[in-house]
Amino acid sequence: MDQLLRTGHQPDPVDSRRPSGLGRFGEYGGRFVPESLVPACEEVERAFAEAWGDPLFRAELNHLLAVYVGRPTPLTPTARLSAELGVNLWLKREDLTHTGSHKINNVLGQALLARRMGKRRLIAETGAGQHGVATATAGALLGMPTTVLMGEKDTERQQLNVFRMKMLGAEVIPVTSGSRTLKDACSEALRHWVTSVDDAYYCLGSAMGPHPYPWMVRQFQRVIGEEARAQCAADLVSGTPDYVVACVGGGSNAAGTFAGFVDTPARLIGVEAAGGAAISAGTTGVLHGFRSKVLQDEHGQISEAHSIAAGLDYPGVGPEHAYLAESGRATYVTVDDVEVLAATHRLARTEGILCALESAHAVAWVIRAAGDGTIPPGSTVMLTLSGRGDKDMATLMELS
Amino acid sequence: MNAVETRARAAKATGRKLLVPYVTGGVTENWTDLLRAAVDAGADAIEIGLPFSDPTLDGPVVQQSSHQALSRGATTRQILDDVSRLGLPVPLIAFTYANLVLHGGADQFCAALADAGVGGLIVPDLPVDEMEPVATAAADTKLDLVLLASPATTPHRRTEIAKRSRGFIYAVSVMATTGEQSQLGQAGQQLVTSLRQATDLPVVLGFGISGPRQAAEACGYADGVAVGSALMRRVLDGAGAAELGDFLGEFRTALDRTTR
Ligand SMILES: Cc1ncc(COP(=O)(O)O)c(C=O)c1O
C-alpha cells in the first residue's frame, strides 16, 4: 500500500490510516463477498492501483474530465441566499457536469479501467438513475455494452432516467426481488457479476461495496474536493471554508469532497436523509460486501430506507464515512423530506438553480443550521451541489 | 474432530457418498417435517438456511424461499428453537450470511447454534480472509466452519481454504448463484481434482445439482453433493415431506449405485 500512496496524490490522513490488504477504514470496510468474487475484486484492486499510479491513465482521465465532462466545475457564490442566511454559501457545481451529476467522475474512471483490464462490457446498479445514466454514457463513449440493474420501484419513479439509459443503448433490467429498490439492485448486481466476471466489469456507483471500491470511488471523486479546495484558496478571503457540506447516500460525492479538505481545519458535514440515515440511526453490520453502519432490525435483517430522493434511500453508507464519524473528523446530520422540498424551492427562487433532491439535503441543513445559529453568522460554507434536478421534475410536479 | 467432520470422514472412509440437502428454515409451517423426511431418505447432513433479507449468492429459488420464510415471520431464534427439539441423528449445518453471524457477535451466534445442536456453519459471504473472528468462535463452540472454494479461486487461495476449512470443503461447481443447471460443467471436476491435491478433507460439490443422475455423475469425482434449489423449488410448488423424501430417496439410490 505504501507504493500506492507514493504514486497517487498527496497522501491524506484517511489514506495513510488505511491498513494494507483488506481495505479497512478502522473496523469498517473489508471484502465480504462470495469466494467466486474475491479474485475479481483482487483483479480490480491490482488494476486500479497500477492505473492510478500511471501518468498516462491519469492524463487520459483528466483529458476526458476536461473536454467531455466539463471540468473544472465552477465554485459559485450565492449572493441572495447568503444575504438571507447571514453566512457565505458557495456551491461546488457538480450539477453542471455532463449527464448532470458527480456520478460521471467516478464512472469515467472505472470505465477506462475496465477497458484497460480488457473487459468487454459494463454492469451497474442504480437507484435514482444518475449512476445508471453515467454508466450508459461511458459505455456508449467507449463502445462497451452496458447492463443496468434497477429496482422495479425506482424504474417507475425515475422513468426519465430509464428512458435516457435506453437512448444511450443500455439494457435496463428491473429488479423484482425484495423491496424492489436500490438495495435489491445492489444485491442483484453482485449476483449478476458472479455469473459474468470473465467479460464484465462491475461499475459500482458509490464509495461502498467490497474493497477496493470504497477507496477507488473516493479517489475518482476526490477531483471534486481538490478543485474546490484550490478554488476556495483563490476566491475566499479566508482561503479555507469554515464548513464543507455534502449529501450522503452511499457517500461518494461527500467522500470526494471531504478528501480535499480532510487535512484543513474545515468542519466536514455529511447530510443524510432522515429515512435513510445509516450513520445517524444505523448500527454496525455487513451489507453488499462491506462492514459499515446499516439500517437493520433487531434480528439483523436489513431495513428499507425511505427518502424523497431515490439516490439517498439506501440502508447503508460507505465505510469511510462510518470511520470519519467514529473518529470525529466528520459530523453526520439528517434532514427530512419537508425541509428538502422547502430547500429545493428556496435555492431555485433565490439563485436560479434547480438542484437534485439529493443535493437539496445539504442545502436544507445549511438553511436550518444558519437559522438556528449552529453555523455562526459570517461563516463561510462550501457545499457540493451533487446534481441537477431535471430527473426530479416529475416528483416535484406531483407534489405541487 | 467435530460432528460434521467425523461423519464426513467416516463416510469417505467407507466409500459412502455424502448427500447433503439444503432446506430453508421456516419456509413452511411444518418445515421441520422436511428435515425428518430428509434423514429417513438417507441424508448424511442437512444444511439449514437461516434466511437473510439481502443474500448475494442465492439464485431466484432460494431467494424466494428465504423471502417466503421471512414473510412468515421466521427468525434465527425461532428456527433454532424448532431445530433444538428435533434430536436428529445427522449433523445440521447452518447456512447464512455474514450480517446475521456478526450482528450480535460471532461468539454469541456460534453458541446459539451449538446450543440448538447445530454442528456446522457455512457463510458464503465470509471469505477466508475475513473469517478470523468467526473461525475462533466456531472452534470454541465445536462448530465446523465449512469454507467454499470456487472455479475462480486461485491456487494460493485454494491451499489456504483447504487448510482452514472444517467438516468438509464446499466446492462450488459453477460461476453462478445457487440454482439448477441443465449440465454439470468441467469446472467443478477440475476444482475438486485440484482441492484433492491440497487436502484429504472430504469435498462436497454444490450449486447446480438438479437431479439424481447429475448427483451420481458428480460423485464420480466428489465425495458428495449438496442439493438446494431442486428441493426448494418443489417445496415452493407445494411438495410436502413425503414427496421430498421420495425425491431425496432417488438421490440416495443413485449415489449408492456409484459406490458399489
Ligand atoms: C444527484 C445525486 N446526488 C447524490 C447522490 C448520492 O450518492 P453519493 O452519496 O454516493 O454521492 C445521488 C445518487 O444517486 C445522486 O444522484
Side-chain angles (χ1 to χ4, degrees):
Chain A
M1 287 304 113
D2 283 337
Q3 181 206 341
L4 301 182
L5 296 179
R6 264 185 269 114
T7 52
H9 278 216
Q10 286 274 312
D12 65 51
V14 174
D15 245 350
S16 59
R17 273 185 229 138
R18 193 173 71 80
S20 62
L22 293 174
R24 294 205 196 272
F25 302 91
E27 66 163 301
Y28 305 106
R31 190 178 276 159
F32 295 85
V33 292
E35 174 59 27
S36 289
L37 289 179
V38 172
C41 290
E42 287 177 343
E43 187 191 357
V44 173
E45 182 186 358
R46 269 194 310 274
F48 170 68
E50 195 188 278
W52 192 245
D54 177 356
L56 285 176
F57 178 85
R58 298 288 283 277
E60 182 173 16
L61 175 58
N62 288 339
H63 179 71
L64 272 184
L65 289 174
V67 303
Y68 189 71
V69 172
R71 301 208 75 91
T73 58
L75 185 70
T76 304
T78 64
R80 297 181 61 214
L81 186 56
S82 290
E84 286 182 17
L85 296 177
V87 302
N88 271 310
L89 174 63
W90 297 71
L91 303 175
K92 179 62 177 163
R93 301 291 303 281
E94 295 305 294
D95 59 317
L96 294 181
T97 56
H98 178 48
T99 71
S101 84
H102 67 294
K103 299 284 181 189
I104 190 76
N105 304 323
N106 164 47
V107 165
L108 279 182
Q110 289 197 50
L112 289 181
L113 183 68
R115 193 184 61 186
R116 185 182 165 105
M117 291 168 70
K119 300 292 178 184
R120 280 178 302 139
R121 60 189 195 92
L122 301 173
I123 56 181
E125 84 298 333
T126 196
Q130 288 305 94
H131 176 59
V133 167
T135 310
T137 299
L141 181 70
L142 300 185
M144 301 173 90
T146 301
T147 303
V148 180
L149 298 144
M150 188 171 186
E152 193 179 41
K153 218 182 255 175
D154 291 332
T155 63
E156 287 155 16
R157 293 197 278 190
Q158 302 288 341
Q159 287 181 20
L160 178 64
N161 273 344
V162 173
F163 189 66
R164 286 170 81 190
M165 288 182 255
K166 289 184 175 163
M167 283 292 294
L168 291 159
E171 175 193 21
V172 180
I173 302 182
V175 174
T176 55
S177 55
S179 57
R180 298 179 292 126
T181 60
L182 178 57
K183 96 177 165 73
D184 310 284
C186 290
S187 302
E188 190 60 36
L190 287 168
R191 287 190 289 256
H192 200 85
W193 196 24
V194 172
T195 65
S196 59
V197 276
D198 277 351
D199 75 326
Y201 176 89
Y202 179 20
C203 182
L204 210 153
S206 193
M208 44 168 271
H211 178 57
Y213 284 97
W215 168 57
M216 172 170 68
V217 174
R218 181 248 284 164
Q219 295 300 72
F220 284 137
Q221 291 292 7
R222 65 185 302 144
V223 63
I224 304 173
E226 282 171 3
E227 272 179 25
R229 180 173 180 172
Q231 289 165 324
C232 284
D235 297 353
L236 269 53
V237 179
S238 59
T240 317
D242 300 308
Y243 290 83
V244 169
V245 188
C247 67
V248 175
S252 69
N253 90 91
T257 302
F258 291 175
F261 293 93
V262 75
D263 58 349
T264 73
R267 288 177 181 233
L268 310 178
I269 313 284
V271 187
E272 297 185 287
I279 291 189
S280 308
T283 50
T284 301
V286 173
L287 176 66
H288 298 143
F290 64 108
R291 186 207 306 268
S292 188
K293 295 293 182 192
V294 299
L295 298 176
Q296 55 187 330
D297 70 13
E298 62 190 297
H299 304 292
Q301 304 296 345
I302 305 303
S303 311
E304 288 176 35
H306 295 282
S307 167
I308 191 171
L312 299 192
D313 66 358
Y314 178 67
V317 65
E320 186 170 5
H321 289 293
Y323 174 70
L324 287 171
E326 195 169 270
S327 67
R329 180 61 193 95
T331 305
Y332 296 81
V333 296
T334 64
V335 296
D336 65 27
D337 288 355
V338 175
E339 292 175 281
V340 168
L341 282 173
T344 307
H345 283 113
R346 191 149 171 202
L347 183 68
R349 299 292 171 91
T350 54
E351 299 297 332
I353 297 173
L354 270 166
C355 72
L357 289 171
E358 289 83 2
S359 315
H361 282 68
V363 179
W365 180 79
V366 172
I367 290 173
R368 190 213 295 161
D372 67 15
T374 303
I375 302 179
S379 305
T380 1
V381 179
M382 203 300 289
L383 183 157
T384 296
L385 210 66
S386 55
R388 62 176 177 242
D390 304 34
K391 70 182 171 59
D392 298 318
M393 287 308 122
T395 307
L396 291 168
M397 276 163 73
E398 233 170 73
L399 291 171
S400 46
Chain B
M1 220 185 288
N2 303 325
V4 176
E5 189 157 329
T6 306
R7 177 85 179 211
R9 282 191 185 274
K12 186 177 176 181
T14 60
R16 175 184 167 96
K17 299 295 184 181
L18 294 161
L19 176 59
V20 186
Y22 166 97
V23 174
T24 302
V27 64
T28 57
E29 170 94 42
N30 301 318
W31 76 277
T32 52
D33 293 348
L34 304 174
L35 306 184
R36 288 187 203 285
V39 172
D40 293 343
D44 296 281
I46 305 176
E47 285 177 44
I48 296 179
L50 302 175
F52 177 52
S53 53
D54 292 78
T56 44
L57 195 65
D58 285 314
V61 170
V62 175
Q63 258 185 75
Q64 182 60 36
S65 71
S66 296
H67 188 73
Q68 177 166 316
L70 289 174
S71 306
R72 290 189 59 254
T75 62
T76 300
R77 192 172 314 141
Q78 184 61 53
I79 292 167
L80 293 182
D81 265 5
D82 288 351
V83 159
S84 65
R85 280 185 248 117
L86 295 177
L88 296 178
V90 305
L92 302 177
I93 306 166
F95 180 105
T96 196
Y97 287 85
N99 194 51
L100 293 190
V101 178
L102 299 171
H103 180 64
D107 290 344
Q108 217 183 314
F109 186 84
C110 289
L113 292 187
D115 283 349
V118 173
L121 174 62
I122 301 176
V123 190
D125 60 344
L126 193 75
V128 63
D129 328 77
E130 301 280 0
M131 74 183 272
E132 206 42 63
V134 181
T136 307
D140 288 349
T141 47
K142 303 205 181 315
L143 283 175
D144 283 322
L145 183 61
V146 177
L147 301 185
L148 297 92
S150 119
T153 301
T154 53
H156 173 72
R157 296 183 63 78
R158 216 157 47 214
T159 310
E160 193 61 21
I161 289 166
K163 198 167 79 192
R164 312 251 0 227
S165 191
R166 296 288 175 268
F168 53 83
I169 299 178
Y170 195 127
V172 173
S173 68
V174 282
M175 290 300 286
T177 51
T178 58
E180 295 164 83
Q181 303 276 340
S182 54
Q183 275 190 325
L184 284 180
Q186 291 283 300
Q189 180 166 8
Q190 282 161 11
L191 175 61
V192 173
T193 307
S194 52
L195 284 168
R196 291 226 185 279
Q197 285 157 13
T199 180
D200 63 348
L201 259 188
V203 180
V204 172
L205 195 78
F207 283 47
I209 307 281
S210 43
R213 226 178 5 164
Q214 267 182 354
E217 184 192 333
C219 284
Y221 43 90
D223 299 310
V225 288
V227 190
S229 295
L231 304 182
M232 295 322 293
R233 178 165 60 78
R234 286 168 169 80
V235 171
L236 290 176
D237 288 346
E243 251 173 290
L244 204 72
D246 288 347
F247 185 52
L248 276 170
E250 293 171 32
F251 277 84
R252 183 74 266 162
T253 310
L255 293 191
D256 289 346
R257 224 179 276 136
T258 59
T259 327
R260 277 168 267 278

